[in-house]
Amino acid sequence: MRITAKFKKKFYFVAAGYFRFFANHALKRWHPRIIAITGSVGKTTMLHLIETQLKDSAHYSHDANSAFGIAFDLVNLRGVTGSKFRWLYLIFAVPIKSLFVKHKEKFYIVEIDGERPHETEFLATWLKPEVTLWVSLGRSHAVQYEQQIRDGVFESLDKAITHEFATLPENTKKVIYIDGDVPLMVKATEKILKKGKTQADVIKFYKKDLKNYEVTPENTVFELKSSLKFKFAEPMPKDMAIQLLMLEGLMDYLKVKINTDLTDMTVAPGRSSFFAGKNGLKIIDSSYNAHLISVQSILEMSKELPEKNKWFIIGDMVEQGFIEGDEHAKLADLIANAKPKKVILVGRRTKKYTYPRLKELKIDVETFSDVKPALKYIEKNTSGKEVLIFKGSQYLEWIIEKLLKDPADAEKLPRREKAAIKRREKRGLN
């Protein structure tokens, strides 16, 4: 089994290298100014923030942040979203498209993930961006880095994940933006500069430079130290201040006048969207994914909401590997600190590790192994005056879909692709 896993990992980069070879022809023909975004969470939101400013002057790697996805994006192709036979099509289509596709935009805004070891490095050494925005650092996809710990390559998951993300700043030409409140991020960039691996300037941003923050289920206002005031038509977490500070710095660097009215910004599905629910319920959907720092961000936001009757619907944090017990136990303390009226847990991990701690802390909590009984409980026990805040996995988007006032809003929920729909259908979630 271990040999098979190692073979799959090696084959991944062999295959990705094939597509990169051809996609690179299109990239060289285009020759854009490349601005890369990386981090554990917040990458897609950062990309959308930049899109509100640069608009049609840039091409954006929407729904593509992997070694394969970015190669496909450069030749205007999408990856495998349905039939596995599409791989055969892509093997022939990418080389052909690479001969003809030429983007005309001035900038390429590209999101780069660190889902597996060496993937960020693979992309960093290829793209060599002019600017990198390293927006966050946490234990996302931790299970992918366990083998590096077992093999003694790194002594901890934090160091392994930090090293992977740091390969992008190492290959950045001009400017690196980081969160100065994250010690591991600061140390990593200091090490890069000390060793002379980059000549880029490292610019740090700090949460203390957020002057004021106001949030409701329907809107958010951020006021920065510079007196810039950003307005959104969705409930945005306070942690977004770092991204807004980076946005301000980037626009200044690019000499682009900044737009602060972001009420028409596209919010990626499942990243803090507001929906009207049945019978007056207010729904905040942040169900796209979850690990500790992203859950903490949403819980911190919930504390600022003026509504009193707040319910948290929390799903398991997946891909945590051998740290999942500790991470889910910490989750309980974060939930309790946010002082919810009610907590609904969905999944075996939250049931095993989070539920006992919440009971110990005397939090009003229910736990379910599946979304169906969780939905029934919510429908039976809500009055319509609640704010329901969703975060995590376990098909929470299905619960939200059933609670929407306008069924058409389901198209704005995460995991609308065919493969995800089929997975829900197999579980009887129609």
Side-chain angles (χ1 to χ4, degrees), residues 44-46 48-49 51-52 62 220 231-237 240 262-275 284-286 411-414:
T44 303
T45 298
M46 189 74 240
H48 284 295
L49 284 170
E51 189 171 13
T52 65
H62 289 299
T220 317
K231 299 178 182 179
F232 297 86
E234 303 283 354
M236 297 297 182
M240 185 189 262
L262 306 184
T263 51
D264 62 349
M265 181 181 113
T266 299
V267 177
R271 274 87 155 189
S272 201
S273 300
F274 170 75
F275 296 105
I284 296 176
D285 172 28
S286 191
E411 293 302 314
K412 302 173 186 176
L413 298 175

PDB file of all heavy atoms in Angstrom, residues 44-46 48-49 51-52 62 220 231-237 240 262-275 284-286 411-414:
ATOM      1  N   THR A  44      -8.728  32.333  -2.287  1.00  0.00           N
ATOM      2  CA  THR A  44      -9.752  32.656  -3.281  1.00  0.00           C
ATOM      3  C   THR A  44     -10.373  34.016  -3.008  1.00  0.00           C
ATOM      4  O   THR A  44     -10.624  34.795  -3.930  1.00  0.00           O
ATOM      5  CB  THR A  44     -10.843  31.570  -3.296  1.00  0.00           C
ATOM      6  OG1 THR A  44     -10.233  30.295  -3.559  1.00  0.00           O
ATOM      7  CG2 THR A  44     -11.882  31.853  -4.364  1.00  0.00           C
ATOM      8  N   THR A  45     -10.602  34.329  -1.735  1.00  0.00           N
ATOM      9  CA  THR A  45     -11.134  35.647  -1.393  1.00  0.00           C
ATOM     10  C   THR A  45     -10.158  36.740  -1.804  1.00  0.00           C
ATOM     11  O   THR A  45     -10.565  37.783  -2.342  1.00  0.00           O
ATOM     12  CB  THR A  45     -11.418  35.728   0.117  1.00  0.00           C
ATOM     13  OG1 THR A  45     -12.407  34.751   0.462  1.00  0.00           O
ATOM     14  CG2 THR A  45     -11.925  37.107   0.506  1.00  0.00           C
ATOM     15  N   MET A  46      -8.857  36.506  -1.590  1.00  0.00           N
ATOM     16  CA  MET A  46      -7.851  37.489  -1.989  1.00  0.00           C
ATOM     17  C   MET A  46      -7.862  37.687  -3.498  1.00  0.00           C
ATOM     18  O   MET A  46      -7.749  38.820  -3.987  1.00  0.00           O
ATOM     19  CB  MET A  46      -6.462  37.015  -1.535  1.00  0.00           C
ATOM     20  CG  MET A  46      -5.354  38.049  -1.712  1.00  0.00           C
ATOM     21  SD  MET A  46      -5.415  39.388  -0.501  1.00  0.00           S
ATOM     22  CE  MET A  46      -5.602  40.829  -1.532  1.00  0.00           C
ATOM     23  N   HIS A  48     -10.440  37.336  -5.468  1.00  0.00           N
ATOM     24  CA  HIS A  48     -11.633  38.123  -5.807  1.00  0.00           C
ATOM     25  C   HIS A  48     -11.469  39.594  -5.419  1.00  0.00           C
ATOM     26  O   HIS A  48     -11.976  40.484  -6.110  1.00  0.00           O
ATOM     27  CB  HIS A  48     -12.867  37.528  -5.134  1.00  0.00           C
ATOM     28  CG  HIS A  48     -13.379  36.292  -5.793  1.00  0.00           C
ATOM     29  ND1 HIS A  48     -13.889  36.290  -7.068  1.00  0.00           N
ATOM     30  CD2 HIS A  48     -13.457  35.002  -5.366  1.00  0.00           C
ATOM     31  CE1 HIS A  48     -14.266  35.053  -7.401  1.00  0.00           C
ATOM     32  NE2 HIS A  48     -14.010  34.263  -6.379  1.00  0.00           N
ATOM     33  N   LEU A  49     -10.762  39.853  -4.329  1.00  0.00           N
ATOM     34  CA  LEU A  49     -10.495  41.235  -3.938  1.00  0.00           C
ATOM     35  C   LEU A  49      -9.673  41.948  -5.010  1.00  0.00           C
ATOM     36  O   LEU A  49      -9.967  43.092  -5.387  1.00  0.00           O
ATOM     37  CB  LEU A  49      -9.751  41.277  -2.600  1.00  0.00           C
ATOM     38  CG  LEU A  49     -10.567  41.004  -1.342  1.00  0.00           C
ATOM     39  CD1 LEU A  49      -9.648  40.848  -0.135  1.00  0.00           C
ATOM     40  CD2 LEU A  49     -11.572  42.130  -1.092  1.00  0.00           C
ATOM     41  N   GLU A  51      -9.532  41.140  -8.092  1.00  0.00           N
ATOM     42  CA  GLU A  51     -10.362  41.245  -9.290  1.00  0.00           C
ATOM     43  C   GLU A  51     -11.261  42.487  -9.241  1.00  0.00           C
ATOM     44  O   GLU A  51     -11.539  43.092 -10.279  1.00  0.00           O
ATOM     45  CB  GLU A  51     -11.213  39.989  -9.459  1.00  0.00           C
ATOM     46  CG  GLU A  51     -11.941  39.918 -10.782  1.00  0.00           C
ATOM     47  CD  GLU A  51     -12.607  38.572 -11.025  1.00  0.00           C
ATOM     48  OE1 GLU A  51     -12.717  37.771 -10.063  1.00  0.00           O
ATOM     49  OE2 GLU A  51     -13.020  38.324 -12.173  1.00  0.00           O
ATOM     50  N   THR A  52     -11.685  42.896  -8.051  1.00  0.00           N
ATOM     51  CA  THR A  52     -12.503  44.108  -7.948  1.00  0.00           C
ATOM     52  C   THR A  52     -11.723  45.354  -8.353  1.00  0.00           C
ATOM     53  O   THR A  52     -12.308  46.385  -8.691  1.00  0.00           O
ATOM     54  CB  THR A  52     -13.031  44.320  -6.510  1.00  0.00           C
ATOM     55  OG1 THR A  52     -11.918  44.552  -5.620  1.00  0.00           O
ATOM     56  CG2 THR A  52     -13.831  43.137  -6.024  1.00  0.00           C
ATOM     57  N   HIS A  62      -9.372  31.323 -11.774  1.00  0.00           N
ATOM     58  CA  HIS A  62     -10.562  30.867 -11.051  1.00  0.00           C
ATOM     59  C   HIS A  62     -10.672  29.342 -11.091  1.00  0.00           C
ATOM     60  O   HIS A  62     -10.535  28.725 -12.147  1.00  0.00           O
ATOM     61  CB  HIS A  62     -11.820  31.476 -11.668  1.00  0.00           C
ATOM     62  CG  HIS A  62     -11.972  32.936 -11.411  1.00  0.00           C
ATOM     63  ND1 HIS A  62     -12.073  33.462 -10.146  1.00  0.00           N
ATOM     64  CD2 HIS A  62     -12.042  33.999 -12.258  1.00  0.00           C
ATOM     65  CE1 HIS A  62     -12.199  34.769 -10.211  1.00  0.00           C
ATOM     66  NE2 HIS A  62     -12.176  35.128 -11.482  1.00  0.00           N
ATOM     67  N   THR A 220     -20.724  44.304   5.916  1.00  0.00           N
ATOM     68  CA  THR A 220     -19.530  44.493   6.738  1.00  0.00           C
ATOM     69  C   THR A 220     -18.832  45.781   6.319  1.00  0.00           C
ATOM     70  O   THR A 220     -18.794  46.122   5.136  1.00  0.00           O
ATOM     71  CB  THR A 220     -18.534  43.326   6.573  1.00  0.00           C
ATOM     72  OG1 THR A 220     -19.225  42.081   6.573  1.00  0.00           O
ATOM     73  CG2 THR A 220     -17.500  43.325   7.690  1.00  0.00           C
ATOM     74  N   LYS A 231     -16.475  48.532   2.113  1.00  0.00           N
ATOM     75  CA  LYS A 231     -17.842  48.095   2.383  1.00  0.00           C
ATOM     76  C   LYS A 231     -18.165  46.829   1.593  1.00  0.00           C
ATOM     77  O   LYS A 231     -17.845  46.737   0.402  1.00  0.00           O
ATOM     78  CB  LYS A 231     -18.824  49.201   2.015  1.00  0.00           C
ATOM     79  CG  LYS A 231     -18.629  50.489   2.806  1.00  0.00           C
ATOM     80  CD  LYS A 231     -19.605  51.576   2.363  1.00  0.00           C
ATOM     81  CE  LYS A 231     -19.365  52.866   3.140  1.00  0.00           C
ATOM     82  NZ  LYS A 231     -20.287  53.953   2.711  1.00  0.00           N
ATOM     83  N   PHE A 232     -18.807  45.869   2.264  1.00  0.00           N
ATOM     84  CA  PHE A 232     -19.198  44.603   1.644  1.00  0.00           C
ATOM     85  C   PHE A 232     -20.682  44.351   1.892  1.00  0.00           C
ATOM     86  O   PHE A 232     -21.236  44.794   2.896  1.00  0.00           O
ATOM     87  CB  PHE A 232     -18.405  43.435   2.228  1.00  0.00           C
ATOM     88  CG  PHE A 232     -16.928  43.497   1.978  1.00  0.00           C
ATOM     89  CD1 PHE A 232     -16.088  44.198   2.828  1.00  0.00           C
ATOM     90  CD2 PHE A 232     -16.375  42.855   0.878  1.00  0.00           C
ATOM     91  CE1 PHE A 232     -14.729  44.265   2.604  1.00  0.00           C
ATOM     92  CE2 PHE A 232     -15.022  42.906   0.646  1.00  0.00           C
ATOM     93  CZ  PHE A 232     -14.189  43.621   1.506  1.00  0.00           C
ATOM     94  N   ALA A 233     -21.295  43.587   0.997  1.00  0.00           N
ATOM     95  CA  ALA A 233     -22.709  43.232   1.143  1.00  0.00           C
ATOM     96  C   ALA A 233     -22.870  41.821   1.694  1.00  0.00           C
ATOM     97  O   ALA A 233     -23.910  41.189   1.500  1.00  0.00           O
ATOM     98  CB  ALA A 233     -23.419  43.354  -0.203  1.00  0.00           C
ATOM     99  N   GLU A 234     -21.847  41.335   2.375  1.00  0.00           N
ATOM    100  CA  GLU A 234     -21.862  40.007   2.987  1.00  0.00           C
ATOM    101  C   GLU A 234     -21.195  40.113   4.363  1.00  0.00           C
ATOM    102  O   GLU A 234     -20.448  41.062   4.627  1.00  0.00           O
ATOM    103  CB  GLU A 234     -21.100  38.989   2.128  1.00  0.00           C
ATOM    104  CG  GLU A 234     -21.589  38.851   0.697  1.00  0.00           C
ATOM    105  CD  GLU A 234     -22.871  38.045   0.563  1.00  0.00           C
ATOM    106  OE1 GLU A 234     -23.330  37.482   1.566  1.00  0.00           O
ATOM    107  OE2 GLU A 234     -23.400  37.978  -0.558  1.00  0.00           O
ATOM    108  N   PRO A 235     -21.399  39.113   5.243  1.00  0.00           N
ATOM    109  CA  PRO A 235     -20.719  39.121   6.541  1.00  0.00           C
ATOM    110  C   PRO A 235     -19.286  38.598   6.386  1.00  0.00           C
ATOM    111  O   PRO A 235     -19.073  37.409   6.150  1.00  0.00           O
ATOM    112  CB  PRO A 235     -21.569  38.156   7.375  1.00  0.00           C
ATOM    113  CG  PRO A 235     -22.145  37.202   6.365  1.00  0.00           C
ATOM    114  CD  PRO A 235     -22.338  37.981   5.095  1.00  0.00           C
ATOM    115  N   MET A 236     -18.315  39.457   6.499  1.00  0.00           N
ATOM    116  CA  MET A 236     -16.919  39.083   6.302  1.00  0.00           C
ATOM    117  C   MET A 236     -16.186  38.986   7.646  1.00  0.00           C
ATOM    118  O   MET A 236     -16.369  39.838   8.515  1.00  0.00           O
ATOM    119  CB  MET A 236     -16.215  40.108   5.416  1.00  0.00           C
ATOM    120  CG  MET A 236     -16.781  40.196   4.017  1.00  0.00           C
ATOM    121  SD  MET A 236     -16.563  38.619   3.140  1.00  0.00           S
ATOM    122  CE  MET A 236     -17.256  39.044   1.537  1.00  0.00           C
ATOM    123  N   PRO A 237     -15.333  37.969   7.817  1.00  0.00           N
ATOM    124  CA  PRO A 237     -14.611  37.828   9.084  1.00  0.00           C
ATOM    125  C   PRO A 237     -13.602  38.947   9.306  1.00  0.00           C
ATOM    126  O   PRO A 237     -13.059  39.513   8.349  1.00  0.00           O
ATOM    127  CB  PRO A 237     -13.913  36.468   8.949  1.00  0.00           C
ATOM    128  CG  PRO A 237     -13.860  36.197   7.486  1.00  0.00           C
ATOM    129  CD  PRO A 237     -15.068  36.854   6.898  1.00  0.00           C
ATOM    130  N   MET A 240     -10.153  39.295   7.622  1.00  0.00           N
ATOM    131  CA  MET A 240      -9.967  39.799   6.269  1.00  0.00           C
ATOM    132  C   MET A 240      -9.199  41.117   6.254  1.00  0.00           C
ATOM    133  O   MET A 240      -8.721  41.554   5.203  1.00  0.00           O
ATOM    134  CB  MET A 240     -11.317  39.985   5.572  1.00  0.00           C
ATOM    135  CG  MET A 240     -11.190  40.390   4.113  1.00  0.00           C
ATOM    136  SD  MET A 240     -12.741  40.861   3.375  1.00  0.00           S
ATOM    137  CE  MET A 240     -13.176  39.341   2.560  1.00  0.00           C
ATOM    138  N   LEU A 262     -17.044  47.578  -2.213  1.00  0.00           N
ATOM    139  CA  LEU A 262     -16.968  46.206  -2.714  1.00  0.00           C
ATOM    140  C   LEU A 262     -18.281  45.461  -2.507  1.00  0.00           C
ATOM    141  O   LEU A 262     -18.307  44.239  -2.359  1.00  0.00           O
ATOM    142  CB  LEU A 262     -15.814  45.470  -2.029  1.00  0.00           C
ATOM    143  CG  LEU A 262     -14.439  46.165  -2.134  1.00  0.00           C
ATOM    144  CD1 LEU A 262     -13.361  45.313  -1.511  1.00  0.00           C
ATOM    145  CD2 LEU A 262     -14.101  46.493  -3.583  1.00  0.00           C
ATOM    146  N   THR A 263     -19.376  46.197  -2.497  1.00  0.00           N
ATOM    147  CA  THR A 263     -20.686  45.589  -2.267  1.00  0.00           C
ATOM    148  C   THR A 263     -21.120  44.688  -3.421  1.00  0.00           C
ATOM    149  O   THR A 263     -22.036  43.870  -3.247  1.00  0.00           O
ATOM    150  CB  THR A 263     -21.757  46.672  -2.028  1.00  0.00           C
ATOM    151  OG1 THR A 263     -21.702  47.639  -3.081  1.00  0.00           O
ATOM    152  CG2 THR A 263     -21.522  47.371  -0.693  1.00  0.00           C
ATOM    153  N   ASP A 264     -20.479  44.835  -4.581  1.00  0.00           N
ATOM    154  CA  ASP A 264     -20.821  43.959  -5.700  1.00  0.00           C
ATOM    155  C   ASP A 264     -19.756  42.888  -5.943  1.00  0.00           C
ATOM    156  O   ASP A 264     -19.770  42.223  -6.969  1.00  0.00           O
ATOM    157  CB  ASP A 264     -21.035  44.773  -6.979  1.00  0.00           C
ATOM    158  CG  ASP A 264     -19.786  45.533  -7.407  1.00  0.00           C
ATOM    159  OD1 ASP A 264     -18.817  45.590  -6.600  1.00  0.00           O
ATOM    160  OD2 ASP A 264     -19.757  46.058  -8.538  1.00  0.00           O
ATOM    161  N   MET A 265     -18.861  42.707  -4.977  1.00  0.00           N
ATOM    162  CA  MET A 265     -17.806  41.706  -5.128  1.00  0.00           C
ATOM    163  C   MET A 265     -18.380  40.300  -5.158  1.00  0.00           C
ATOM    164  O   MET A 265     -19.288  39.955  -4.390  1.00  0.00           O
ATOM    165  CB  MET A 265     -16.800  41.811  -3.975  1.00  0.00           C
ATOM    166  CG  MET A 265     -15.647  40.819  -4.082  1.00  0.00           C
ATOM    167  SD  MET A 265     -14.494  40.967  -2.690  1.00  0.00           S
ATOM    168  CE  MET A 265     -14.752  39.411  -1.843  1.00  0.00           C
ATOM    169  N   THR A 266     -17.849  39.465  -6.036  1.00  0.00           N
ATOM    170  CA  THR A 266     -18.234  38.057  -6.076  1.00  0.00           C
ATOM    171  C   THR A 266     -17.611  37.341  -4.890  1.00  0.00           C
ATOM    172  O   THR A 266     -16.396  37.368  -4.707  1.00  0.00           O
ATOM    173  CB  THR A 266     -17.745  37.396  -7.377  1.00  0.00           C
ATOM    174  OG1 THR A 266     -18.342  38.063  -8.492  1.00  0.00           O
ATOM    175  CG2 THR A 266     -18.112  35.915  -7.400  1.00  0.00           C
ATOM    176  N   VAL A 267     -18.448  36.726  -4.074  1.00  0.00           N
ATOM    177  CA  VAL A 267     -17.963  35.935  -2.943  1.00  0.00           C
ATOM    178  C   VAL A 267     -18.005  34.469  -3.359  1.00  0.00           C
ATOM    179  O   VAL A 267     -19.050  33.959  -3.771  1.00  0.00           O
ATOM    180  CB  VAL A 267     -18.824  36.160  -1.688  1.00  0.00           C
ATOM    181  CG1 VAL A 267     -18.344  35.270  -0.548  1.00  0.00           C
ATOM    182  CG2 VAL A 267     -18.774  37.633  -1.271  1.00  0.00           C
ATOM    183  N   ALA A 268     -16.876  33.802  -3.291  1.00  0.00           N
ATOM    184  CA  ALA A 268     -16.814  32.399  -3.689  1.00  0.00           C
ATOM    185  C   ALA A 268     -17.770  31.574  -2.833  1.00  0.00           C
ATOM    186  O   ALA A 268     -17.940  31.842  -1.637  1.00  0.00           O
ATOM    187  CB  ALA A 268     -15.394  31.875  -3.542  1.00  0.00           C
ATOM    188  N   PRO A 269     -18.433  30.579  -3.405  1.00  0.00           N
ATOM    189  CA  PRO A 269     -19.395  29.762  -2.657  1.00  0.00           C
ATOM    190  C   PRO A 269     -18.804  29.176  -1.380  1.00  0.00           C
ATOM    191  O   PRO A 269     -17.683  28.664  -1.370  1.00  0.00           O
ATOM    192  CB  PRO A 269     -19.763  28.660  -3.660  1.00  0.00           C
ATOM    193  CG  PRO A 269     -19.544  29.281  -4.994  1.00  0.00           C
ATOM    194  CD  PRO A 269     -18.347  30.171  -4.821  1.00  0.00           C
ATOM    195  N   GLY A 270     -19.576  29.280  -0.316  1.00  0.00           N
ATOM    196  CA  GLY A 270     -19.175  28.667   0.945  1.00  0.00           C
ATOM    197  C   GLY A 270     -18.119  29.419   1.706  1.00  0.00           C
ATOM    198  O   GLY A 270     -17.512  28.884   2.629  1.00  0.00           O
ATOM    199  N   ARG A 271     -17.867  30.698   1.345  1.00  0.00           N
ATOM    200  CA  ARG A 271     -16.864  31.503   2.044  1.00  0.00           C
ATOM    201  C   ARG A 271     -17.507  32.716   2.707  1.00  0.00           C
ATOM    202  O   ARG A 271     -17.139  33.832   2.457  1.00  0.00           O
ATOM    203  CB  ARG A 271     -15.781  31.987   1.086  1.00  0.00           C
ATOM    204  CG  ARG A 271     -14.636  31.015   0.864  1.00  0.00           C
ATOM    205  CD  ARG A 271     -14.953  30.054  -0.229  1.00  0.00           C
ATOM    206  NE  ARG A 271     -13.734  29.523  -0.856  1.00  0.00           N
ATOM    207  CZ  ARG A 271     -13.756  28.785  -1.953  1.00  0.00           C
ATOM    208  NH1 ARG A 271     -14.902  28.490  -2.541  1.00  0.00           N
ATOM    209  NH2 ARG A 271     -12.636  28.333  -2.468  1.00  0.00           N
ATOM    210  N   SER A 272     -18.481  32.499   3.537  1.00  0.00           N
ATOM    211  CA  SER A 272     -19.136  33.572   4.296  1.00  0.00           C
ATOM    212  C   SER A 272     -20.133  34.344   3.447  1.00  0.00           C
ATOM    213  O   SER A 272     -19.988  35.544   3.211  1.00  0.00           O
ATOM    214  CB  SER A 272     -18.094  34.535   4.891  1.00  0.00           C
ATOM    215  OG  SER A 272     -18.624  35.251   5.970  1.00  0.00           O
ATOM    216  N   SER A 273     -21.180  33.649   3.019  1.00  0.00           N
ATOM    217  CA  SER A 273     -22.257  34.256   2.238  1.00  0.00           C
ATOM    218  C   SER A 273     -23.534  34.300   3.074  1.00  0.00           C
ATOM    219  O   SER A 273     -23.809  33.384   3.842  1.00  0.00           O
ATOM    220  CB  SER A 273     -22.520  33.440   0.964  1.00  0.00           C
ATOM    221  OG  SER A 273     -21.369  33.377   0.160  1.00  0.00           O
ATOM    222  N   PHE A 274     -24.311  35.363   2.883  1.00  0.00           N
ATOM    223  CA  PHE A 274     -25.580  35.476   3.596  1.00  0.00           C
ATOM    224  C   PHE A 274     -26.734  35.010   2.713  1.00  0.00           C
ATOM    225  O   PHE A 274     -26.797  35.331   1.520  1.00  0.00           O
ATOM    226  CB  PHE A 274     -25.848  36.921   4.018  1.00  0.00           C
ATOM    227  CG  PHE A 274     -27.240  37.120   4.547  1.00  0.00           C
ATOM    228  CD1 PHE A 274     -27.584  36.668   5.806  1.00  0.00           C
ATOM    229  CD2 PHE A 274     -28.218  37.724   3.767  1.00  0.00           C
ATOM    230  CE1 PHE A 274     -28.882  36.826   6.293  1.00  0.00           C
ATOM    231  CE2 PHE A 274     -29.510  37.893   4.240  1.00  0.00           C
ATOM    232  CZ  PHE A 274     -29.844  37.443   5.513  1.00  0.00           C
ATOM    233  N   PHE A 275     -27.666  34.242   3.300  1.00  0.00           N
ATOM    234  CA  PHE A 275     -28.879  33.825   2.613  1.00  0.00           C
ATOM    235  C   PHE A 275     -30.086  34.003   3.543  1.00  0.00           C
ATOM    236  O   PHE A 275     -29.990  33.761   4.754  1.00  0.00           O
ATOM    237  CB  PHE A 275     -28.814  32.345   2.205  1.00  0.00           C
ATOM    238  CG  PHE A 275     -27.746  32.040   1.201  1.00  0.00           C
ATOM    239  CD1 PHE A 275     -26.578  31.404   1.591  1.00  0.00           C
ATOM    240  CD2 PHE A 275     -27.899  32.386  -0.138  1.00  0.00           C
ATOM    241  CE1 PHE A 275     -25.582  31.116   0.669  1.00  0.00           C
ATOM    242  CE2 PHE A 275     -26.914  32.106  -1.066  1.00  0.00           C
ATOM    243  CZ  PHE A 275     -25.747  31.466  -0.667  1.00  0.00           C
ATOM    244  N   ILE A 284     -25.704  32.089   7.430  1.00  0.00           N
ATOM    245  CA  ILE A 284     -24.358  32.460   6.985  1.00  0.00           C
ATOM    246  C   ILE A 284     -23.644  31.174   6.591  1.00  0.00           C
ATOM    247  O   ILE A 284     -23.425  30.278   7.421  1.00  0.00           O
ATOM    248  CB  ILE A 284     -23.583  33.203   8.086  1.00  0.00           C
ATOM    249  CG1 ILE A 284     -24.284  34.530   8.406  1.00  0.00           C
ATOM    250  CG2 ILE A 284     -22.137  33.457   7.651  1.00  0.00           C
ATOM    251  CD1 ILE A 284     -23.660  35.296   9.549  1.00  0.00           C
ATOM    252  N   ASP A 285     -23.304  31.091   5.312  1.00  0.00           N
ATOM    253  CA  ASP A 285     -22.716  29.870   4.765  1.00  0.00           C
ATOM    254  C   ASP A 285     -21.203  30.014   4.612  1.00  0.00           C
ATOM    255  O   ASP A 285     -20.710  30.762   3.780  1.00  0.00           O
ATOM    256  CB  ASP A 285     -23.330  29.555   3.404  1.00  0.00           C
ATOM    257  CG  ASP A 285     -22.614  28.406   2.705  1.00  0.00           C
ATOM    258  OD1 ASP A 285     -22.045  27.547   3.404  1.00  0.00           O
ATOM    259  OD2 ASP A 285     -22.618  28.371   1.452  1.00  0.00           O
ATOM    260  N   SER A 286     -20.473  29.276   5.437  1.00  0.00           N
ATOM    261  CA  SER A 286     -19.019  29.188   5.290  1.00  0.00           C
ATOM    262  C   SER A 286     -18.625  27.709   5.294  1.00  0.00           C
ATOM    263  O   SER A 286     -17.676  27.287   5.961  1.00  0.00           O
ATOM    264  CB  SER A 286     -18.314  29.936   6.421  1.00  0.00           C
ATOM    265  OG  SER A 286     -16.939  30.080   6.151  1.00  0.00           O
ATOM    266  N   GLU A 411     -27.899  27.579  -6.206  1.00  0.00           N
ATOM    267  CA  GLU A 411     -26.829  27.672  -7.199  1.00  0.00           C
ATOM    268  C   GLU A 411     -25.618  28.435  -6.670  1.00  0.00           C
ATOM    269  O   GLU A 411     -24.531  28.339  -7.241  1.00  0.00           O
ATOM    270  CB  GLU A 411     -27.353  28.343  -8.470  1.00  0.00           C
ATOM    271  CG  GLU A 411     -28.384  27.526  -9.227  1.00  0.00           C
ATOM    272  CD  GLU A 411     -27.843  26.157  -9.636  1.00  0.00           C
ATOM    273  OE1 GLU A 411     -26.702  26.104 -10.139  1.00  0.00           O
ATOM    274  OE2 GLU A 411     -28.546  25.153  -9.421  1.00  0.00           O
ATOM    275  N   LYS A 412     -25.805  29.163  -5.584  1.00  0.00           N
ATOM    276  CA  LYS A 412     -24.704  29.940  -5.007  1.00  0.00           C
ATOM    277  C   LYS A 412     -23.984  29.190  -3.891  1.00  0.00           C
ATOM    278  O   LYS A 412     -23.064  29.723  -3.273  1.00  0.00           O
ATOM    279  CB  LYS A 412     -25.252  31.262  -4.455  1.00  0.00           C
ATOM    280  CG  LYS A 412     -25.957  32.123  -5.498  1.00  0.00           C
ATOM    281  CD  LYS A 412     -26.611  33.331  -4.844  1.00  0.00           C
ATOM    282  CE  LYS A 412     -27.451  34.124  -5.846  1.00  0.00           C
ATOM    283  NZ  LYS A 412     -28.171  35.254  -5.192  1.00  0.00           N
ATOM    284  N   LEU A 413     -24.401  27.954  -3.642  1.00  0.00           N
ATOM    285  CA  LEU A 413     -23.779  27.147  -2.602  1.00  0.00           C
ATOM    286  C   LEU A 413     -22.558  26.414  -3.153  1.00  0.00           C
ATOM    287  O   LEU A 413     -22.423  26.243  -4.367  1.00  0.00           O
ATOM    288  CB  LEU A 413     -24.785  26.138  -2.049  1.00  0.00           C
ATOM    289  CG  LEU A 413     -26.024  26.714  -1.365  1.00  0.00           C
ATOM    290  CD1 LEU A 413     -26.992  25.597  -0.987  1.00  0.00           C
ATOM    291  CD2 LEU A 413     -25.634  27.521  -0.130  1.00  0.00           C
ATOM    292  N   PRO A 414     -21.661  25.939  -2.284  1.00  0.00           N
ATOM    293  CA  PRO A 414     -20.481  25.215  -2.769  1.00  0.00           C
ATOM    294  C   PRO A 414     -20.836  23.817  -3.261  1.00  0.00           C
ATOM    295  O   PRO A 414     -21.909  23.289  -2.974  1.00  0.00           O
ATOM    296  CB  PRO A 414     -19.573  25.148  -1.535  1.00  0.00           C
ATOM    297  CG  PRO A 414     -20.517  25.224  -0.379  1.00  0.00           C
ATOM    298  CD  PRO A 414     -21.630  26.123  -0.828  1.00  0.00           C
TER     299      PRO A 414
END
